[in-house]
Amino acid sequence: MKLGIVGLPNVGKSTLFNAITRAGAQAANYPFCTIEPNVGVVAVPDKRLDVLAEMYHPQKYTPATIEFVDIAGLVRGASRGEGLGNQFLSHIREVDAVVQVVRCFENDDIVHVDGSVDPVRDMETIALELIFADMQTVEKRMERTGKAAKSGDKKLAAEVATLSSIMAQLEKGTPVRLMEFTEEEKPFVDSLFLLTSKPTIYAANVDEDSLSAKPEELPLVQGVCQRAAAEGAEVVLVSAAIEEEIAGMDYEDGRAFLQEMGLTESGLDRLVRHCYHLLGLISYLTAGEKEVRAWTITRGTKAPQAAGKIHTDFERGFIRAEVVPFDTLVQLGSMAAAKEKGLVRSEGKDYVMQDGDVVLFRINV
């Protein structure tokens, strides 16, 4: 899973990236300090793996991972090439979802590119630039497809009709992710790689004093929540500065620091949880003395395709999956005990994997 971290210059985007990936992307108080996209891979926090590691004492511990891409700051006019707009737009096409960092803190020492802090205005700026860019893409495709459709090809004519519908809604300010399409239209729309089709989460970047507050208690965050709710998006409260501080600590000190602040999880934990929900992802687990590991799959994935995540041969040679829910395994203490109780299920090719399934795949290659 690849997430693009986007936002206007000086909203805390690169600071957040530094914190959650510890990759050291340059962060400075001027626009465009991030020129090439910085990429970092971060482990997905999963307490279930910690429990399995205590049970099995494995040689290897492998959590699921997420790839974060820190993309150059966008400014008004990016769709026309202003600032580093062209680079921004090309890089954002390559990600699965967008984490838009929105500045919800006041600090006279950090200059806002528009001269004042107004998170809703910032959200509208980015939304409009992405819509303008999509309109250009759709317009070019309409010209090309429209000429070809004059031959009488019904498929091309249908594509032109879909493009016309998309353009009409973009002109009204509606992002593609909020548009409705038929099952026949969806593959074509997906092939356009439109920017506003990307699932989006808003990271409201607040100061340390505001981190433990409720969103409705923070005027700047209220506007972000209202705007996000209107488009069915989620908001995660983070403090990039605090996340950066925690990133410099070891695990135990970081947890103690969070507890002192009255928090039960870091901003990264919340962000990952929301991103999994946004993209419809779950994890299944494998466990043994050699390795405990989490595997990320899309909700609704069947057992053979889940096995294929481990190796393509596993999908081709799939026989069955021996499955026990994580909670059941922990309660009984071992796979052997679960088998004795008859609680390890033998599932076939039509089994739909569930979050937290602990699995042993039986294959014949």
Side-chain angles (χ1 to χ4, degrees), residues 284 286 295 305-314 359 361:
Y284 74 85
T286 53
W295 303 85
Q305 289 69 48
K309 286 286 184 177
I310 298 175
H311 196 285
T312 53
D313 287 348
F314 279 38
V359 189
F361 292 110

Side-chain angles (χ1 to χ4, degrees), residues 49 53 57-63 286 288-293:
L49 276 188
H57 304 287
Q59 299 171 22
K60 194 174 179 183
Y61 176 105
T62 310
T286 53
E289 293 182 359
K290 287 187 177 180
E291 183 181 36
V292 295
R293 182 163 182 165

